[in-house]
Amino acid sequence: MAVRIDGKAVAATVRAGVAEEVAALKEKGIFPGLAVVIVGDDPASRTYVNNKKKACAETGIYSEEYALPASTTQEELLRLVETLNQKKDIHGILVQSPLPDGLDEEAVVEAISPQKDVDAFHPENVGRIMIGNFHFLPCTPAGVMELLRSQNIEVAGKRCVVIGRSNIVGKPMAMLLLHQNGTVTICHSKTQNLAEICRSADILVAAVGKPKFVTADMVKPGAVVIDVGMDRDENGKLCGDVDYANVEPKVGYITPVPGGVGPMTIAMLLKNTITAAKLQNGWQYEA
Ligand code: GUN
């Protein structure tokens, strides 16, 4: 029987801390502000954006939404990003992904001022993470690290396996575990002996995007299993990358889907927005 890591509860604690810090910043005349840009009408993106705005309102962060039609051109989107880069009351800029076909997401991310890049997707911020001299951490991997910290799970010296090598989760996740002195392996679709490598993991992070991909025979007894997946099972029900029902009895810690990593992502975005507000007001970042 595993400890079920309650992401909702941990996220609530982070958000309470954010609310306190926002109140303290306001006393100093600093009003953290986030701009959220959504292009087109992808329903999942709409839900994410609504949740982000709601979380800002609940913690006292000022937010602005820019909802653009799917017909928006690259030039129009870049012009908006440039306007937001210059806007003094906006400290963080988030362009919700995916963008409609025809828009160059990479160019848009590169146009965001690195000091306002609260997703930490800009190449400058990615590079900073690589060398360990960063202002922002990408929200989902940072949320995973916070979940591990919440349970006092030591990473140093542990064998960590990350399944998935995306730029927004897998790669930065591996780097953050490495920063904490984990011994890290990244697995992907071309990996041979995947199950065997996963079985060696003390800490297993699944970020593949395939429902119930991690089965009970792929985990070490007592392991820590973190599920970043947001998938749908054969009945259309929300589930993760881990076959929770069969894996849970075997491992030491596990995150549920929903209610695990998901709630952490927005909590870390709020933290990054505060960091951005501080940075733009001449404060050094405290790790
Ligand atoms: N789409 C799905 N997740 C994210 C995220 O963390 N940031 C942005 N900008 N878009 C996303």
Side-chain angles (χ1 to χ4, degrees):
M1 180 91 177
V3 173
R4 181 179 174 280
I5 307 178
D6 183 348
K8 262 190 173 168
V10 180
T13 305
V14 172
R15 284 159 72 139
V18 166
E20 263 180 41
E21 205 171 350
V22 169
L25 284 170
K26 284 181 174 172
E27 299 228 327
K28 294 185 167 76
I30 299 169
F31 295 76
L34 175 71
V36 184
V37 180
I38 177 169
V39 188
D41 43 20
D42 178 59
S45 289
R46 174 38 68 197
T47 305
Y48 288 133
V49 165
N50 288 348
N51 289 340
K52 287 169 186 176
K53 287 194 307 181
K54 188 159 163 261
C56 283
E58 282 170 8
T59 49
I61 293 175
Y62 169 69
S63 74
E64 290 178 352
E65 179 187 300
Y66 294 84
L68 307 180
S71 59
T72 301
T73 65
Q74 183 77 9
E75 289 67 33
E76 286 166 336
L77 185 52
L78 289 175
R79 250 199 315 274
L80 171 61
V81 168
E82 192 43 43
T83 303
L84 295 173
N85 281 342
Q86 302 299 333
K87 213 165 180 284
K88 289 277 179 279
D89 58 346
I90 289 300
H91 304 98
I93 303 170
L94 182 151
V95 179
Q96 187 66 29
S97 169
L99 291 174
D101 286 348
L103 292 173
D104 179 351
E105 201 159 312
E106 218 172 286
V108 172
V109 167
E110 286 195 31
I112 296 173
S113 160
Q115 288 217 341
K116 294 192 175 185
D117 169 37
V118 284
D119 269 323
F121 291 170
H122 189 286
E124 178 179 318
N125 289 321
V126 174
R128 283 181 169 278
I129 291 159
M130 192 82 164
I131 59 177
N133 172 21
F134 47 79
H135 302 304
F136 307 112
L137 291 176
C139 302
T140 301
V144 171
M145 297 311 288
E146 194 71 33
L147 288 177
L148 295 175
R149 244 190 319 271
S150 76
Q151 306 299 313
N152 297 315
I153 294 166
E154 178 78 33
V155 176
K158 296 282 172 59
R159 215 172 199 304
C160 306
V161 173
V162 179
I163 322 175
R165 55 174 158 179
S166 71
N167 287 331
I168 63 172
V169 183
K171 284 185 211 167
M173 187 72 251
M175 206 48 63
L176 300 196
L177 291 164
L178 180 62
H179 286 166
Q180 298 290 318
N181 299 310
T183 301
V184 186
T185 302
I186 305 177
C187 295
H188 47 78
S189 54
K190 302 282 190 293
T191 297
Q192 294 181 359
N193 306 324
L194 179 82
E196 188 184 322
I197 295 169
C198 292
R199 264 196 306 276
S200 74
D202 302 307
I203 299 173
L204 180 64
V205 181
V208 252
K210 291 186 182 159
K212 303 182 186 179
F213 180 81
V214 175
T215 46
D217 60 307
M218 291 166 71
V219 297
K220 182 195 220 174
V224 178
V225 177
I226 306 287
D227 191 346
V228 183
M230 282 280 244
D231 313 311
R232 297 271 164 194
D233 70 10
E234 60 281 8
N235 302 313
K237 192 166 167 269
L238 185 64
C239 72
D241 289 349
V242 176
D243 178 5
Y244 188 95
N246 294 308
V247 168
E248 187 272 340
K250 200 174 161 185
V251 297
Y253 294 84
I254 190 164
T255 62
V257 177
V261 175
M264 295 304 296
T265 300
I266 292 183
M268 303 320 277
L269 169 71
L270 302 173
K271 276 189 94 155
N272 281 350
T273 304
I274 293 183
T275 302
K278 287 185 185 171
L279 264 178
Q280 285 153 59
N281 282 278
W283 292 17
Q284 284 302 308
Y285 174 58
E286 306 134 31

